[in-house]
Amino acid sequence: MLKIFNTLTRKKEVFKPLENKKVRMYACGPTVYNFPHIGNYRAYVAADLLHRTLLYLGYKVKLIMNLTDVDDKTIRDSKKEKKKLDAFTKPFIKGFFEDLKALNILPADIYPRATEHISEMVKIIKILLKKGIAYKGKDDCIYYSINKFKKYGKLAHLDKEQLLAGASGIRADEYSKENVRDFALWKAYTKDDGNVFWDTDIGKGRPGWHIECSAMSTKYLGKSFDVHTGGVDLIFPHHENEIAQSEGAFDKKFVKYWIHNEWLLVEGKKMSKSLGNFYTLRDLLEKDYDSFAVRYLLLATHYRQQLNFTLKGLEAAKNSLQRIWDFVERLESIEGKNNSKFSDIVVKYSKKFKSAVSDDLDISKALAVMFDFIHDTNRLIEKNDFGKKNAKEALNLMKEFDSVLGLLREKEKLSKELADLIKQREKARKDKNFKLADKIRKDLKKKGIILEDSCSGVRWKKI
Ligand code: AMP
Ligand code: ZN
């Protein structure tokens, strides 16, 4: 039985999807105006952990992750670079998919783009206008009137007074809207938008950010669905506004479980573009860090706890990962007598792991279970109390764990030419011909292979 912390109720709840054994899930995706930093990827790794856990527990999952390819930032920066909006966002979208793959994040079923769903957004705005929940401001923009939605603030746990207090010091009459907290559903065209606009029934302009997610989630998942994820910064106003829009338009409970991840910090501050304290994944890969180590680091702290990023932490993550990889490799060359009690050990650890991840994705416990299993199995191997059949069972259990953790890389095959080069370098090292060994290492790097020497021999990886 899965229990998950729901931001809506601020409680750990028993997870029961609307439809038996089927989960409809929406993850707020990236705004594609640059390459995401690894703080952003903490959000996607957290969503991936939930996605994988649901699959592991036997649910069918339909996962949607949107791409915000039109908003203030994409327009601003595409103009700066004198590019059309789609030409500007294209390389970042491509880069995003490359990063997802490098981080072993399972793909979503659909990655809808905001620019391809304008008519769906207009449709919802028209419903809101008709119901009197939205209105046209003096500036021709269309706003959502938060006073018309009684439950406004239910996710962020803010009452109307707090909302107004937050806006104190701002005089409402300086605005084109009726209430300073009302938010834009549709932004009327201005010169600053250049050639980015849509001519629609509700005027010439472009959508606000929040309406994008209401339109894309309900289009693919229905007016009510199970899970919506994002970082804690999205609780307010983004997700609060999504609820107001969707429930305001459709009169149905929008989302059952809201799940939010905490910050990735750098020296106590949120990693963010604006503070300049960020690493992109490609920054780290260029420094020869392994993308799986980044995944491990982002995964290994519970999603609701803040995580302080350091390069030292990343190295420690790599070491933990190496222990897992070494263990799996060791299992592949076992030659001993089988231990008849080993199946019971496997069953015990499988149960423990399942109960850990089922408890609000308790990753620390789940990893501890796996490392205890590795430790116990290694002791049996050392005592020669472990055979080929046991190794197969152990490997299957590691794969079971990995369906949730995603830390094992599929074995890549080397061409004969490259494998021979590695052998020649090994020989050169044995012969103490370090000059030749170094030369071969450099040649291999040019061919896209990096070598790492370790006590258990040389390892290679593709760049
Ligand atoms: P954005 O592209 O800014 O909309 O952000 C994409 C996702 O990354 C959102 O779910 C954010 O909440 C999340 N996010 C941004 N910065 C961080 C951070 N430093 N730590 C964790 N999540 C973050
Ligand atoms: Zn969103």
Side-chain angles (χ1 to χ4, degrees):
M1 184 178 64
L2 173 64
K3 281 191 172 168
I4 197 86
F5 186 88
N6 189 351
T7 307
L8 200 59
T9 55
R10 303 287 198 274
K11 279 192 190 106
K12 246 197 243 181
E13 293 178 18
V14 173
F15 183 75
K16 251 179 122 182
L18 298 164
E19 267 181 274
N20 192 27
K21 282 285 162 194
K22 275 193 190 159
V23 179
R24 285 170 283 155
M25 171 169 169
Y26 186 86
C28 276
T31 307
V32 285
Y33 73 112
N34 54 26
F35 294 115
H37 54 69
I38 54 166
N40 299 127
Y41 284 117
R42 185 168 194 214
Y44 308 132
V45 167
D48 187 51
L49 176 64
L50 176 60
H51 182 198
R52 286 169 173 271
T53 301
L54 290 168
L55 294 172
Y56 173 58
L57 297 176
Y59 293 100
K60 267 186 108 166
V61 182
K62 181 167 181 187
L63 172 63
I64 308 294
M65 183 184 279
N66 71 292
L67 303 175
T68 298
D69 60 351
V70 55
D71 78 326
D72 295 344
K73 289 179 274 190
T74 43
I75 294 177
R76 180 195 66 200
D77 291 357
S78 65
K79 272 183 68 186
K80 245 189 244 165
E81 292 201 9
K82 298 194 170 47
K83 282 188 179 159
K84 277 176 81 180
L85 189 65
D86 58 346
F88 170 75
T89 57
K90 199 172 171 184
F92 301 121
I93 294 175
K94 184 167 169 273
F96 176 65
F97 287 123
E98 285 164 3
D99 288 357
L100 290 185
K101 205 158 169 220
L103 289 169
N104 205 17
I105 291 174
L106 290 184
D109 293 270
I110 309 174
Y111 293 94
R113 297 175 189 204
T115 50
E116 292 169 3
H117 294 79
I118 303 294
S119 65
E120 286 84 350
M121 297 173 207
V122 169
K123 223 177 187 171
I124 300 179
I125 296 172
K126 278 167 89 175
I127 298 174
L128 293 170
L129 280 168
K130 204 163 167 202
K131 287 176 119 176
I133 299 173
Y135 62 91
K136 202 168 227 181
K138 289 176 226 158
D139 54 1
D140 277 346
C141 295
I142 299 175
Y143 294 101
Y144 189 103
S145 173
I146 65 159
N147 275 330
K148 298 273 165 59
F149 185 64
K150 285 213 175 56
K151 292 184 207 147
Y152 195 79
K154 74 171 176 175
L155 180 70
H157 290 208
L158 293 170
D159 57 34
K160 288 262 166 56
E161 264 167 41
Q162 281 172 301
L163 288 170
L164 290 172
S168 66
I170 308 173
R171 278 180 38 213
D173 59 4
E174 286 171 6
Y175 281 77
S176 314
K177 39 191 176 174
E178 290 165 5
N179 178 328
V180 286
R181 280 289 182 186
D182 290 351
F183 60 90
L185 295 163
W186 185 258
K187 299 189 176 180
Y189 181 76
T190 68
K191 269 200 330 296
D192 287 343
D193 294 337
N195 53 12
V196 180
F197 64 86
W198 284 265
D199 249 325
T200 72
D201 293 355
I202 52 171
K204 176 175 170 178
R206 61 186 171 95
W209 170 38
H210 313 301
I211 194 71
E212 297 185 1
C213 281
S214 279
M216 290 185 273
S217 59
T218 52
K219 169 162 182 178
Y220 295 103
L221 298 174
K223 289 169 182 138
S224 283
F225 57 93
D226 304 294
V227 176
H228 196 316
T229 68
V232 283
D233 58 327
L234 299 190
I235 297 173
F236 189 83
H238 185 51
H239 289 163
E240 193 69 61
N241 291 351
E242 278 189 49
I243 294 176
Q245 295 164 154
S246 310
E247 298 191 1
F250 304 126
D251 296 309
K252 277 197 174 142
K253 183 167 176 169
F254 178 43
V255 170
K256 196 163 175 195
Y257 302 96
W258 287 92
I259 296 160
H260 293 99
N261 63 279
E262 259 298 343
W263 297 128
L264 182 71
L265 303 174
V266 182
E267 283 158 21
K269 293 208 175 80
K270 176 195 170 192
M271 179 178 282
S272 71
K273 287 268 152 158
S274 51
L275 291 174
N277 60 353
F278 65 91
Y279 285 100
T280 63
L281 185 62
R282 39 213 71 219
D283 292 335
L284 294 171
L285 300 187
E286 264 165 32
K287 290 186 199 300
D288 280 354
Y289 289 100
D290 189 316
S291 62
F292 274 54
V294 178
R295 178 180 173 91
Y296 187 99
L297 182 76
L298 297 178
L299 187 75
T301 296
H302 190 263
Y303 74 98
R304 286 196 290 116
Q305 272 171 15
Q306 297 187 334
L307 158 61
N308 201 33
F309 176 79
T310 57
L311 290 175
K312 245 193 180 154
L314 187 54
E315 273 149 31
K318 179 67 199 286
N319 290 338
S320 304
L321 197 56
Q322 198 62 59
R323 273 185 66 200
I324 305 170
W325 291 349
D326 286 347
F327 175 67
V328 168
E329 216 171 287
R330 191 174 197 190
L331 291 175
E332 282 163 1
S333 52
I334 296 291
E335 303 285 347
K337 207 168 152 292
N338 280 311
N339 177 331
S340 59
K341 298 212 183 81
F342 189 66
S343 304
D344 298 340
I345 297 178
V346 166
V347 170
K348 179 183 93 181
Y349 277 107
S350 169
K351 273 193 189 149
K352 276 189 170 180
F353 184 84
K354 191 171 270 180
S355 113
V357 290
S358 300
D359 182 11
D360 194 27
L361 314 179
D362 190 340
I363 190 70
S364 315
K365 216 184 248 167
L367 287 170
V369 169
M370 178 173 67
F371 282 114
D372 284 350
F373 172 71
I374 292 176
H375 177 259
D376 287 359
T377 308
N378 271 331
R379 282 184 53 188
L380 293 177
I381 297 173
E382 276 142 30
K383 284 197 289 182
N384 237 338
D385 191 7
F386 196 80
K388 255 197 158 64
K389 183 173 155 276
N390 298 145
K392 183 118 202 0
E393 285 177 286
L395 201 57
N396 283 342
L397 183 63
M398 289 303 285
K399 284 185 185 158
E400 177 184 322
F401 294 161
D402 202 58
S403 69
V404 174
L405 304 173
L407 297 171
L408 296 179
R409 199 176 248 134
E410 256 180 53
K411 263 212 166 142
E412 287 179 289
K413 289 232 162 65
L414 266 191
S415 68
K416 181 160 175 340
E417 179 214 1
L418 294 174
D420 283 348
L421 274 174
I422 293 175
K423 272 191 205 144
Q424 282 169 30
R425 177 176 170 274
E426 281 297 87
K427 181 164 182 314
R429 269 181 11 123
K430 261 193 205 133
D431 298 345
K432 304 222 179 321
N433 185 349
F434 295 115
K435 218 170 147 194
L436 178 63
D438 255 15
K439 185 184 171 305
I440 300 177
R441 176 197 275 272
K442 279 185 192 141
D443 287 349
L444 280 164
K445 193 165 181 188
K446 274 188 212 143
K447 292 175 194 288
I449 297 291
I450 298 182
L451 298 182
E452 278 173 19
D453 295 310
S454 76
C455 39
S456 57
V458 65
R459 293 196 186 88
W460 59 269
K461 69 175 188 202
K462 285 195 176 152
I463 304 172

